[in-house]
Structure formats: structure tokens, C-alpha cells
Amino acid sequence: MTENSGKSVAVLREGKLSIKGNRKAVLRWILDHMVWFILFFVLVVLSCSIRGFAQWGIFRNILYHAVFVGVLAIGEAICIISKEMDLSVESVAGLAAIMTAWLTGTGLDASGILLNGYLALLVVLAMGAIIGAFNAILVVNYKISSFIVTLAGYLMFRALALVVTNGHGVTRLRPEVVMVARTKLFSIPLMVVLLLFIYIAFYIFVTQTRFGQHIYLVGDSREASYNAGIRIGRVLFGVFMLSGMLAGLTGWLLAARTNGAAPNIGMGMLFEAMAAVVIGGVSLQGGVGNLAGVLAGAILLSTIATAVSLLGMPPFYMNVIRGGFIIIAVLLDALVQRIRPYLM
Amino acid sequence: MVERKDVTVLEPPVLRIEHIWKSFGKVQALKDVSFEVYKGDVLALLGDNGAGKSTLIKIISGNYRADKGKIYLNNQPVSFGSPAEARHAGIETVYQQSPVCLNASVTANFFIGRELCNGLPGIKFLKKRAMRQETEKAMADIGVHIPSVKEKVGLLSGGERQALILGRFFHWGGKIALLDEPFAALGVGEARKSLKLIQHMGQQMRLPIILITHNVEYAFEIATRFVVLRHGEMVGEGKIADVKVDDVVAMITGAIHVRDTN
Ligand SMILES: Nc1ncnc2c1ncn2[C@@H]1O[C@H](COP(=O)(O)OP(=O)(O)OP(=O)(O)O)[C@@H](O)[C@H]1O
Ligand SMILES: [Mg+2]
């Protein structure tokens, strides 16, 4: 078979794989990254139908607005993959934002400590980790459902921040905090670079490390994991602490963006993060999910928000569309699960 | 203890159970049951419904404690308080619905809890390729062909899943596998494959297996020895090669009582 092209020779050398098998692999890959194709499709449709949509400035904006929900969604995704739930992330992010503002604020409404912005970041990360450990203790040691534990946290933590600031917000933060929100690298906002960096790091973490693998296995079958000697409690501690720390980071980034923190900062983000996770293909059954999909979900939500405001539609349309996308995503996922076995 | 003339090597039995008694309230589920399992044995545990087979398996695997009697693993007396303890010692019941991670790959399930890693301080990176190759080799060794070890376990057939669980169990040093009706939920084709697998493991690889089945034909195909329970009592024991199907069926139904005729 000397007339074979180099490519098919390589394919034959692989063993049983035929060209047809290769095509199946491509199809499988497409199905596994469906959200990215939906996102691409939506961007193309919007570019064609809204004048002035297809420009770097708009895309940059979309990415910039995806940063906050995007970071928060990583923690939520990890929790849901491990078959737990973290409803406290939004409030922890709010608490972290207010703490950041209070610690680094330069005005009379702040603490007057004028803490260095990076030290403030360490403070809110530690705070997130402690809150995560607190959630984990209740879930692991006291066997309370994470839904209930973190629902309590959702109610509690933002209010806690307001106790500190006596119910009002803080504005005008130290320059090194604000700088993070305003810097651009080759016309790409630093925040967006950070977002991509964090996603790549966590993608490697969950797919290439033992701890990451255990998150999936524990979410898939507690019994099989227990039988295999995986320390489930330890995995869940890690999961909740990471989720708390990512929420802390989100809060810090929010404070940087708004150069301060109003009492309601980040309100409603829990549902957006949850939507990004679900649209991204993470299953509430546990053990299934891909962080790349979650990033696409976050960008998709931000795209919709941008389009709605560009079109001058009233903002309540946004939730109609978001809800619609959740349904579409879940239905598509069910379809993919049915087709996939035929593509083996 | 029963005499064993077919054992020529002076190897201790992998598992020896002696004078096991167990009752549930008024029900005497097991009465003075004793037998041994050696390397290379596939022991068919036969008996009618309610004969006490599952109870015996559950005592061996740490689910129940016997009222009286002793269990020895490689000549060491053992007493398990839980299935986890038994599993740790190398005894496990492998059944159709044994928990597996359905969304994880064959490799991930094969190496679950024992992942090969690059030992970096703090973060352990998985050696994915090495794990894949080892899984492929192990599955090939036990004679199982799985389309791809990268595929998720949820897409495997019932028999393939069982093969994975059994193969994994012995690969990681399992000493004796207890199979309670492994063919019950399998179609004819799958059951055939499963039979071949158990035969291969038991006879070629000499891995000890206790097999409960209601299908006497299957037992005659793959078992080397049999034990028949009836109302909790041992009514027959021997080498499969020495008996006819009809005789064993008669023991199961109570038409012959071997010990009485002795
Ligand atoms: N947990 C229990 N509590 C009370 N009685 C039990 C319990 N488990 C088993 N028994 C009784 O012990 C006897 C033996 O039951 P066992 O399940 O061991 O039978 P078996 O040989 O496995 O039967 P089958 O072939 O139907 O599975 C039966 O009379 C049963 O009702
Ligand atoms: Mg039974």
C-alpha cells in the first residue's frame, strides 16, 4: 500500500483504528466540547445581527465581565463534581470584597489600616479557606447536607461583613488593588489574563493530579471510593477550602474592579456561577464535568449580558435568555449522552 | 476436617473454615459447616433457596459474625468486624452491582486509590500513560478484551464490568474472591464470557474462587470442587470430576444425603 498518504499510514500504525474510527474520534471530541461550539455559534449570530458587535472592544468586554463569574464557577464546579454543593460562594465573595475594601480603603469609610493590597489578598484567601474548612467540618464530621450548611453560609457571611462596616460600603482603595483592574497587557486586560491562567492551572490540577482525580471518583461513587481506601473526608475538605479560596479571590477582584465595595457587591452571582457550571456540562449527579466547558459557560453568560445591554433590551430579558440556555444545555447534554456510545 | 487426597503439594489452604454455626433468631442458617479452599480451586457452593449460601459468604466477607466456628486465612486465624477489614486482608465479595465509578475510565477504576504518581512534594501528578499500559496488560493477562481502557466504565457490559472488578481484585493482591450468583443478571452470551473468565482465573492462574450459583451445569463447567448446603447443613463435598450432575442435583434437593450413606 505504497500509495497511502503519510496520515493514513500513521493511522494504520496505531493498530485497529481505521480512518472511519478517526472520524468517530473527531465527532466524539466535538460532542465533548459542545458548549464551545454553542458559544461560537452565538458569537457568530450576534456578530451578524448586531451592528458593531464584531469588534475587539466588545469581545474584550465580554471576557472582562466573564472573569468574576468565571473564577467563582471553578469552585462551584469542583464542589458539584465531588457531588456536594456550595451555596455560600457568592456571600463569601461579597464578604471578601467588603473586607478587601475595608482593609485597603483610603477614605474615612474604611478601617484606616491601609493594608497593602496583596496582603489583603492573602487575608481574604485565608478567610475563604477557613470558611471552606468550616463548611467541610459540618459536612464531613457532622454529616449535614452541604446544601443546608452552605445555605446558612449564604445568609450569614455577607451580613457578617456589614457588621464590620456598620452596614455601608467602602470606596477608594489603595492603588495596587485598583491597578489590577486597569492594567492591560497588549490590549488584553490583566484580569482576563489572570482568568485564563487560573483556568489553565485548575484544569491541570483536576485532570493531571491525584487529588483532582479523587474529586471525580468521590463524586462518582462514594462507595467505590471508600472501598478503595480513598479518604473521602480529606478530599471534601480540599474541595470546600478551594471553593472558599476562589470565592475570596473573586471578592478581591470585584473590589478591584469597582474600586470599592457596596454592601450588595456581587449579589446574584451564585446563580450565574451555577448557570455557568451547568451550561458547561457539569452534572449534578457528580463525577462528571470539564472546567473548559465551565469557562465557555461563563463567557456565554457574559456574551448574553453584553448583547442584551447593546440592544437596549430591559435587563429582565437577560434571565429569560439565561434560563433558556440552561434548558438547552441540559437537553443537549442528554442527547450527547445517548449518541456517545455509538461513537466508540 | 475432610481428607483431601487430590492435594499433593503440602501447601496450606488459602481459606479454611471450621465448624461454623449461625442462627437468625429461630432460623438455624448454618450448622457446623467446615471446608477448605486451596490454590487452583474454584469451589462451587451449591444449595437450594435458603440453604445458607449467602449467609456463609457474608460471614467470610465480614458482613456477619458467626455464632461459633473459626476462619483461617493462609493458616492464620482471622475474625473480621466489617467488610472493609476482610477486604484489607484480601477477601472480597465481587458481585454484579459491585460499586464502580461509572463516569470514570477503566484505568481510573483499575487504579482507584492506588494511582501511580510522580512524587512531587505537595502535588502528585498522575502517570497516566503508565497506568493505561498496566491496565491494558492486566486485562489482557486475564483474557479480557475491553475496547479501550480510556473508555468510561458505564459503557462496559455487565460481564466486562465484572471482569474489571475481578481482575483488579486479584491484580492488587486479593487472596480469595467470593462470587454470589455472578451470572444472575447476565445474558447467555455474557454469561459464557464470564464463565470462561472465571475458569481462566481459577484454573490457569490458580486464583482461589468461591462461586455460588443455582446453575449446576455452569458449576460443572468451571468448578473443580463443590460443597452442597441444605437447610444450613453440609450434605455433600467433593471433586466435580468424581460426581455426576444428577447426584449433585439429588444432594441439593435432598434425595441423597452423602453423610448418611457414609
Ligand atoms: N439477615 C437475616 N435475618 C434473618 N434471617 C435471615 C437473614 N439472612 C438470611 N436469613 C435466613 O437464613 C436462611 C439462609 O439464607 P441465605 O440467604 O443464606 O440462603 P441462600 O442459600 O443464599 O438462598 P438463595 O439461593 O435464595 O440466595 C434463610 O432461611 C433466610 O431466611
Ligand atoms: Mg443467596
Side-chain angles (χ1 to χ4, degrees), chain A residues 16 28 204-205 207-211 213-214 216-218 220-221 223-230 285-288 337 340-341 343-344, chain B residues 82 84 87 92 95 97 99-104 107-109 112-115 117 123-128 131 145 147-148 151-152 155:
Chain A
K16 300 181 310 311
R28 213 156 57 200
I204 292 172
F205 166 67
T207 59
Q208 304 298 323
T209 71
R210 184 172 70 170
F211 194 87
Q213 171 110 306
H214 284 182
Y216 280 86
L217 295 173
V218 162
D220 199 322
S221 168
E223 210 185 340
S225 304
Y226 172 81
N227 286 352
I230 294 177
Q285 290 167 34
V288 181
Q337 295 311 322
R340 218 175 170 286
L343 294 174
M344 298 265 299
Chain B
S82 71
R87 190 176 300 118
E92 187 169 358
Y95 50 99
Q97 269 77 37
V100 282
C101 294
L102 293 175
N103 296 300
T107 306
N109 274 281
I112 182 170
R114 293 188 164 92
E115 291 84 0
C117 298
I123 304 179
K124 292 206 156 63
F125 284 96
L126 298 168
K127 291 183 180 170
K128 289 198 161 182
M131 288 196 282
H145 177 70
S148 160
E151 208 39 81
K152 55 183 212 179
L155 295 178

Side-chain angles (χ1 to χ4, degrees), chain B residues 17-33 55-56 58-60 62-71 78-80 232:
Chain B
I17 63 173
E18 274 184 4
H19 310 296
I20 296 281
W21 292 76
K22 176 78 184 172
S23 64
F24 296 105
K26 281 185 188 144
V27 181
Q28 192 65 50
L30 293 172
K31 299 174 203 161
D32 196 22
V33 176
T55 305
L56 184 56
K58 283 179 183 159
I59 287 173
I60 299 171
N63 289 78
Y64 298 154
R65 263 186 204 280
D67 299 337
K68 268 196 281 178
K70 290 209 173 71
I71 301 177
V78 287
S79 168
F80 304 123

Side-chain angles (χ1 to χ4, degrees), chain B residues 147-169:
Chain B
S148 160
V149 292
K150 284 189 198 170
E151 208 39 81
K152 55 183 212 179
V153 166
L155 295 178
L156 299 184
S157 71
E160 285 167 341
R161 224 175 279 178
Q162 216 168 53
L164 165 66
I165 294 166
L166 261 180
R168 176 178 71 184
F169 175 66

Side-chain angles (χ1 to χ4, degrees), chain B residues 24 27 29 47-56 64 180-181 212 214:
Chain B
F24 296 105
V27 181
D48 216 340
N49 291 110
K53 307 180 293 294
S54 296
T55 305
L56 184 56
Y64 298 154
D180 196 344
E181 315 232 17
I212 293 183
H214 279 281

Side-chain angles (χ1 to χ4, degrees), chain A residues 72 76 86-97 153-154 157-158 247 250-251 254 264-273:
Chain A
L72 204 59
E76 192 65 62
D86 191 348
L87 302 178
S88 70
V89 286
E90 174 193 312
S91 294
V92 175
L95 170 60
Y154 172 78
F157 293 124
R158 180 188 300 274
T250 306
L254 280 171
N264 67 347
I265 188 165
M267 216 167 234
M269 277 179 81
L270 170 62
F271 298 102
E272 282 192 63

